[in-house]
Amino acid sequence: MGEFSPAEERDESDADDPRLSGAALLDAVADGVYQLDREGRFVAVNDSLADLTGHSRSSLVGSHVSRVLDVQDVVGAETAIRELLVGESRDEIRLTCPVFTAGGDTVACEVRASPIRLKGEFRGTVGVVREVDDADAPGIDDVGEHRQAFDALAEASADGIIMLDDDSTVRYANPAVERILGYEPDELVGASKMTIIPERLREVHAEALQRYLETGRKHIDWTYVELPGRHADGHEVPLAVSLNDFEHAGEHYFVGTFRDISDRKAAERELERQNDRLERFASMLAHELRNPLEIARVSVELLDGGDEATREEIADALGRIDEIIDVLLAIARDRELIEGVEAVALAGVAADAWADIETGAATLENDAEAVVRANPSHLRHLLENLFRNAIEHGSTSDGPSDDGDSEPDSADSDDAPVTVRIGDLSDPDPRSDAPVGGFYVEDTGSGIPESQRAAVAEPGFTTDEAGIGLGLTFVAELAAAYGWEWSITESEAGGARFEFVGVGLA
């Protein structure tokens, strides 16, 4: 969004159009409207805010919000915005505070702000400033009382708040700092910020600050960064930190808010250990299973006489077990460790998968054209499970009811044979520079009741007494191993439709 400007000139054909352009509409609003960048500097303001503050629009744009707000209010707003960004349920903050005018007066106002997110990244804030009666904002005309209100807010904050000057001297610390780092606020005020920086990182911090003061360039993301802090007893505490700087009364300050993420880091380490154990177990299991498989293969080859067709069938079954072991390893390992990924024509793999299962009277409509990046064996097994699920549970009379009851299904029932269709989906994923797409598999059967869609991929879920309930679990886990997102909906014919997006294209 650029600077809000008067209504653009429009073509004469629009002369009778009573609608205002977006920019003109903002300038017609009686309340002040503003946009800040991620550092808290004005990117755009409307005429109402300029009139309220007594500053020209051109002089406000590019200046820090502390030009019109008290330092404590800036820190309070920064803290509240950060809480929104780390998962609070609110999408807006409200602050009742004095706004400073160009003439040095204060105007009682309600300030609203919401974070701007683009592709999941914080880009700044947008909000509204509205003048309120003093009666609606008791005490805010008295800056001293207002600062007392801020102190109460800062003291109640679960996050640590520290304000520094250009010399890295701590000018303010709230009580949460003691709980997180073990220092009493009075102990820190007047001390160097290096007090709370681990010794091994002090030189790096000093060089980064000096470089920023000289060039204005930041070497880290100030919106959110994870850094260690030094506890008063000497141990390091992992912190999630948000930083900003501003000017007030001709002085330059830095403010940092931070919270202890020790519990989260411990959980991440435990999860990593569990994943390592799972991968080791999967590799061991694969090794132990492949030994008897190899013995069985050799034994089949050494058989004298017998039915050649039977021998081939046994060898094919053993080969498919070996492939399934490969797929299970892919599910257990990280995406980057999946082997055998190549350009695969989706239509060809779908045809092979259909040929490898019992289809009865069911038919396949293969509309796929995409060429995806996957291990062909993995993709074939995924499609086999989807096709088998459609055939076994796709009867228009024998499908599962909404209460979970079902009769044994059959592809040879007297009902109209189920039709299974596979085709492409477009997926313009803004998060990735790589080409991505998707595909769907749908059928003309009885579908999956909405009440069961969240549960069908759970291990053991089945509506067939003879089933073990792992087919769709297999599909879900294999899709997750590749980073594909998938969902269940209803096909146009009322059957089940499985959609996969985020699929890498060749």
Side-chain angles (χ1 to χ4, degrees):
M1 184 189 305
E3 179 177 332
F4 307 142
S5 58
E8 299 89 346
E9 292 185 7
R10 290 182 288 174
D11 189 90
E12 290 183 1
S13 61
D14 296 330
D16 296 329
D17 188 345
R19 295 174 298 177
L20 294 173
S21 68
L25 187 61
L26 288 170
D27 280 333
V29 174
D31 296 330
V33 181
Y34 66 91
Q35 179 188 346
L36 305 177
D37 63 18
R38 56 193 300 168
E39 278 78 37
R41 291 177 171 80
F42 287 108
V43 174
V45 298
N46 69 346
D47 285 338
S48 296
L49 185 60
D51 293 340
L52 176 68
T53 62
H55 295 284
S56 67
R57 286 167 52 162
S58 60
S59 67
L60 282 175
V61 172
S63 63
H64 195 271
V65 67
S66 58
R67 185 175 185 182
V68 297
L69 292 183
D70 191 73
V71 173
Q72 284 88 347
D73 290 319
V74 174
V75 176
E78 290 282 351
T79 302
I81 287 291
R82 182 175 179 275
E83 289 178 351
L84 293 185
L85 293 173
V86 296
E88 295 293 332
S89 59
R90 296 175 299 158
D91 58 4
E92 176 187 76
I93 66 166
R94 295 188 182 188
L95 181 68
T96 303
C97 62
V99 170
F100 292 89
T101 70
D105 298 323
T106 59
V107 180
C109 292
E110 178 188 62
V111 179
R112 300 185 181 188
S114 297
I116 301 171
R117 297 180 177 92
L118 183 60
K119 298 182 182 179
E121 181 181 352
F122 174 64
R123 294 299 182 90
T125 55
V126 63
V128 176
V129 179
R130 173 178 298 173
E131 185 175 358
V132 297
D133 294 333
D134 288 349
D136 296 329
I140 69 165
D141 56 328
D142 187 320
V143 174
E145 291 184 19
H146 177 68
R147 289 181 176 174
Q148 291 177 8
F150 166 79
D151 290 340
L153 173 65
E155 288 176 6
S157 174
D159 289 351
I161 303 174
I162 286 182
M163 186 167 67
L164 312 169
D165 60 22
D166 279 354
D167 296 325
S168 292
T169 300
V170 178
R171 301 288 292 272
Y172 172 83
N174 76 332
V177 171
E178 182 176 4
R179 176 179 54 80
I180 298 172
L181 294 176
Y183 301 93
E184 294 184 4
D186 290 344
E187 180 183 359
L188 280 182
V189 173
S192 169
K193 79 165 184 178
M194 296 302 174
T195 305
I196 62 172
I197 303 298
E199 186 172 354
R200 62 188 176 87
L201 298 176
R202 289 175 182 173
E203 184 176 350
V204 174
H205 275 262
E207 291 176 353
L209 173 62
Q210 188 61 35
R211 184 164 59 249
Y212 174 72
L213 292 175
E214 292 175 355
T215 67
R217 295 180 180 178
K218 301 171 182 175
H219 72 292
I220 58 173
D221 182 0
W222 284 21
T223 305
Y224 180 89
V225 63
E226 295 182 2
L227 297 169
R230 182 184 182 278
H231 194 276
D233 64 13
H235 78 275
E236 293 188 6
V237 180
L239 303 174
V241 183
S242 175
L243 303 167
N244 209 340
D245 67 334
F246 58 91
E247 292 184 1
H248 181 69
E251 298 290 334
H252 186 216
Y253 298 96
F254 297 89
V255 61
T257 60
F258 54 89
R259 63 177 52 181
D260 185 352
I261 55 173
S262 298
D263 290 344
R264 196 191 80 196
K265 286 296 184 182
E268 290 176 354
R269 289 192 296 271
E270 178 59 26
L271 179 60
E272 185 175 352
R273 284 194 292 268
Q274 291 177 359
N275 287 338
D276 288 342
R277 287 196 295 268
L278 174 61
E279 183 173 342
R280 287 197 299 271
F281 174 76
S283 298
M284 179 188 68
L285 182 62
H287 178 269
E288 294 301 316
L289 287 175
R290 278 183 170 137
N291 282 337
L293 276 176
E294 186 60 28
I295 293 173
R297 281 200 195 95
V298 172
S299 299
V300 169
E301 292 173 358
L302 295 176
L303 284 176
D304 292 328
D307 185 355
E308 182 65 25
T310 301
R311 293 174 59 188
E312 291 181 358
E313 186 175 341
I314 294 173
D316 182 62
L318 294 174
R320 289 175 62 76
I321 292 174
D322 197 25
E323 288 181 352
I324 291 174
I325 292 173
D326 284 335
V327 175
L328 292 175
L329 284 174
I331 291 174
R333 290 174 172 169
D334 288 337
R335 193 183 318 167
E336 292 77 9
L337 299 178
I338 294 178
E339 299 176 347
V341 175
E342 59 185 69
V344 183
L346 184 58
V349 177
D352 291 341
W354 188 261
D356 285 342
I357 63 174
E358 293 294 333
T359 59
T363 57
L364 174 68
E365 292 185 5
N366 194 340
D367 298 330
E369 297 181 357
V371 177
V372 304
R373 292 198 56 77
N375 181 306
S377 176
H378 300 170
L379 183 58
R380 190 179 77 250
H381 281 285
L382 181 142
L383 294 178
E384 284 179 8
N385 278 279
L386 289 172
F387 293 163
R388 192 178 294 115
N389 180 78
I391 294 168
E392 294 178 354
H393 301 283
S395 169
T396 55
S397 65
D398 295 336
S401 64
D402 196 55
D403 61 6
D405 295 332
S406 67
E407 299 293 334
D409 303 312
S410 171
D412 299 319
S413 68
D414 294 332
D415 299 312
V418 67
T419 297
V420 181
R421 181 180 298 107
I422 182 171
D424 302 337
L425 290 173
S426 61
D427 178 32
D429 189 343
R431 300 167 299 178
S432 174
D433 294 329
V436 291
F439 62 91
Y440 67 87
V441 175
E442 64 180 12
D443 61 62
T444 58
S446 56
I448 300 175
E450 189 171 356
S451 61
Q452 295 182 5
R453 291 174 188 169
V456 293
E458 294 296 326
F461 180 90
T462 181
T463 58
D464 185 348
E465 293 181 359
I468 60 174
L470 291 177
L472 293 182
T473 303
F474 189 91
V475 168
E477 293 295 333
L478 190 53
Y482 274 88
W484 301 345
E485 296 181 11
W486 72 288
S487 60
I488 304 174
T489 183
E490 185 175 294
S491 69
E492 291 185 4
R497 178 180 170 100
F498 294 80
E499 296 186 350
F500 299 82
V501 296
V503 179
L505 301 179

